[in-house]
């Protein structure tokens, strides 16, 4: 409390404790991939978790952008992972709704008849995932967060203006950034993170419009590694036909996987519900809303992580990844 509330003045207050104050030990408590087929009607889907962020993807064709929604912005607000658009307000009576204790309500514009969809659902938890809404000020500054550990990956997007998604990844360092909606290589710019590594309580921003313009509002999504739950990491390709990537998991491989080359390349995603096996593994791309590709075998299961084949194992190429355990 600062002096704006007076000196030696009696005050009354109400405080509500934030949920999810414990570090998760089971990935099923904080992540779920869910598939469904549209029938043209709004539906409430039961999940194993109470989601705080959902990415919805049309798997059938490229007729819909990939929509990211979250509990902070509330129902009827879309940000598109494959686009630069500002927050799209779908209308008070429609849109994704977070009013269920064990699921999500998907609107009728995301349940086109006979189209196949994917929901990727995250729950906030200490050390695992957090999200923050903030307003820019145009100057170097810090933003408080409640992740409780140092963020290893951050996605930031202006919700009030069109702009590229900005990505921080610990493997790249505090002078580098990537763009979630783009296939472009890693770039260097001090105006993103002010050449400062995040801490367990704050992350630092420069004055670039894409992260901190004085006339814009933003969302930040923060990810970190949790033993046997999630892993934010990187690997260097060795040019062989396959390479095992050890995430330290003891739960028989990955439930969800994101891989991006630090050179030109898309943001590929796989999940076990659509298939991560010894044969073909369907993939989507966060930066490209094209239909799901089902006839490729780029990754395989590995007891403590995942295996990549030659397509994601170019010699001396650096790849960043984000994995969630089974």
């Amino acid at each position: 409390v600062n002096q704006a509330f007076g000196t030696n003045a009696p005050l009354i207050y109400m405080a509500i404790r934030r949920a999810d104050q414990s570090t998760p030990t089971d990935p099923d408590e904080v992540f779920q991939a869910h598939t469904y087929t549209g029938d043209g009607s709004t539906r409430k889907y039961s999940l194993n978790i109470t989601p705080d962020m959902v990415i919805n993807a049309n798997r059938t064709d490229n007729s819909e952008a990939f929509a990211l929604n979250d509990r902070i912005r509330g129902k009827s607000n879309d940000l598109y992972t494959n686009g630069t658009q500002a927050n799209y307000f779908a209308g008070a009576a429609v849109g994704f709704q977070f009013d269920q204790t064990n699921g999500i309500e998907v609107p009728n514009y995301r349940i086109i008849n006979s189209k196949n969809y994917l929901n990727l659902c995250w729950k906030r938890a200490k050390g695992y995932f957090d999200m923050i809404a903030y307003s820019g000020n145009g100057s170097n500054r810090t933003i408080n967060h409640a992740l409780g550990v140092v963020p290893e990956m951050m996605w930031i997007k202006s919700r009030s203006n069109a702009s590229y998604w900005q990505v921080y990844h610990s493997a790249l360092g505090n002078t580098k950034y990537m763009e979630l909606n783009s296939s472009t290589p890693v770039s260097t710019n001090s105006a993103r993170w002010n050449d400062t590594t995040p801490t367990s309580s704050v992350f630092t921003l420069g004055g670039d419009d894409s992260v901190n313009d004085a006339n814009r509002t933003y969302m930040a999504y923060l990810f970190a590694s949790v033993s046997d739950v999630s892993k934010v990491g990187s690997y260097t390709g060795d040019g062989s036909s396959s390479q095992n990537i050890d995430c330290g998991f003891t739960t028989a491989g990955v439930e969800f996987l994101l891989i991006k080359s630090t050179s030109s390349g898309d943001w590929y995603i796989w999940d076990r519900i659509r298939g991560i096996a010894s044969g073909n593994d369907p993939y989507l791309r966060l930066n490209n809303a094209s239909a799901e590709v089902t006839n490729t075998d780029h990754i395989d299961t590995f007891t403590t992580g995942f295996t990549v084949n030659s397509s994601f194992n170019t010699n001396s190429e650096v790849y960043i990844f984000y994995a969630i355990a089974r």
Side-chain angles (χ1 to χ4, degrees):
V1 179
N2 61 31
Q3 291 182 348
F5 291 92
T7 303
N8 298 322
L11 301 172
I12 62 172
Y13 69 91
M14 179 178 70
I16 300 174
R17 179 181 181 272
R18 176 178 166 175
D20 305 321
Q21 294 299 302
S22 60
T23 302
T25 59
D26 183 346
D28 290 341
E29 298 173 347
V30 289
F31 177 82
Q32 184 174 352
H34 167 252
T35 56
Y36 65 92
T37 300
D39 62 4
S41 300
T42 297
R43 286 286 184 271
K44 291 186 177 182
Y45 290 100
S46 295
L47 304 173
N48 296 329
I49 64 172
T50 303
D52 291 303
M53 182 181 80
V54 177
I55 297 176
N56 179 270
N58 179 342
R59 303 162 55 199
T60 302
D61 56 39
N62 65 352
S63 62
E64 299 173 275
F66 289 6
L68 184 152
N69 286 260
D70 60 71
R71 189 176 297 276
I72 288 180
R73 290 178 298 127
K75 69 177 183 180
S76 309
N77 289 282
D78 294 348
L79 288 172
Y80 302 130
T81 65
N82 60 295
T84 62
Q85 299 94 323
N87 184 89
Y88 170 69
F89 180 65
V94 298
F96 288 81
Q97 300 191 44
F98 293 83
D99 57 354
Q100 290 180 258
T101 59
N102 63 339
I104 185 72
E105 181 171 334
V106 179
N108 56 9
Y109 68 89
R110 284 284 168 175
I111 309 188
I112 297 175
N113 195 43
S114 300
K115 298 292 178 69
N116 295 318
Y117 291 86
L118 170 70
N119 285 329
L120 297 171
C121 307
W122 280 261
K123 181 179 179 179
R124 282 181 290 184
K126 184 178 179 180
Y128 166 72
F129 172 65
D130 192 26
M131 54 191 186
I132 301 99
Y134 67 93
S135 298
N137 70 0
S139 301
N140 296 342
R141 47 99 65 99
T142 60
I143 301 289
N144 294 328
H145 66 79
L147 189 61
V149 299
V150 176
E152 296 171 77
M153 181 172 65
M154 303 188 296
W155 303 349
I156 294 181
K157 176 70 177 72
S158 170
R159 52 197 168 103
S160 58
N161 297 77
S163 69
Y164 279 64
W165 287 80
Q166 305 299 300
V167 178
Y168 167 88
H169 196 285
S170 58
L172 307 178
N174 60 32
T175 65
K176 309 287 187 181
Y177 72 95
M178 302 187 82
E179 295 167 334
L180 188 67
N181 58 290
S182 170
S183 62
T184 55
V186 61
S187 298
T188 302
N189 187 298
S190 62
R192 267 40 174 211
W193 324 121
N194 197 28
D195 296 349
T196 305
T197 301
T199 73
S200 59
S201 58
V202 301
F203 58 90
T204 301
L205 301 174
D208 189 84
D209 290 354
S210 58
V211 296
N212 192 27
D213 184 87
N215 298 308
R216 298 184 182 184
T217 56
Y218 299 85
M219 284 298 302
Y221 305 94
L222 281 57
F223 306 83
S225 301
V226 179
S227 177
D228 260 350
V229 174
S230 60
K231 177 65 175 178
V232 179
S234 66
Y235 66 92
T236 301
D238 62 15
S240 64
S241 60
S242 66
Q243 181 183 177
N244 295 329
I245 309 302
D246 185 0
C247 297
F249 298 155
T250 61
T251 52
V254 296
E255 182 77 15
F256 169 83
L257 178 62
L258 178 152
I259 298 179
K260 167 74 169 80
S261 167
T262 55
S263 296
S264 182
D266 293 320
W267 295 80
Y268 290 82
I269 56 172
W270 297 265
D271 56 81
R272 186 166 64 96
I273 194 170
R274 292 180 300 130
I276 297 177
S278 58
N280 291 340
D281 313 288
Y283 70 78
L284 292 163
R285 292 165 288 177
L286 290 180
N287 62 297
N288 185 330
S290 296
E292 179 178 82
V293 178
T294 61
N295 61 350
T296 60
D297 182 18
H298 292 319
I299 66 168
D300 286 311
T301 57
F302 177 57
T303 53
T304 61
F306 58 96
T307 299
V308 291
N309 70 11
S310 57
S311 298
F312 287 84
N313 197 32
T314 301
N315 190 45
S316 300
E317 182 78 15
V318 176
Y319 301 83
I320 60 172
F321 70 86
Y322 172 57
I324 298 175
R326 289 192 178 186

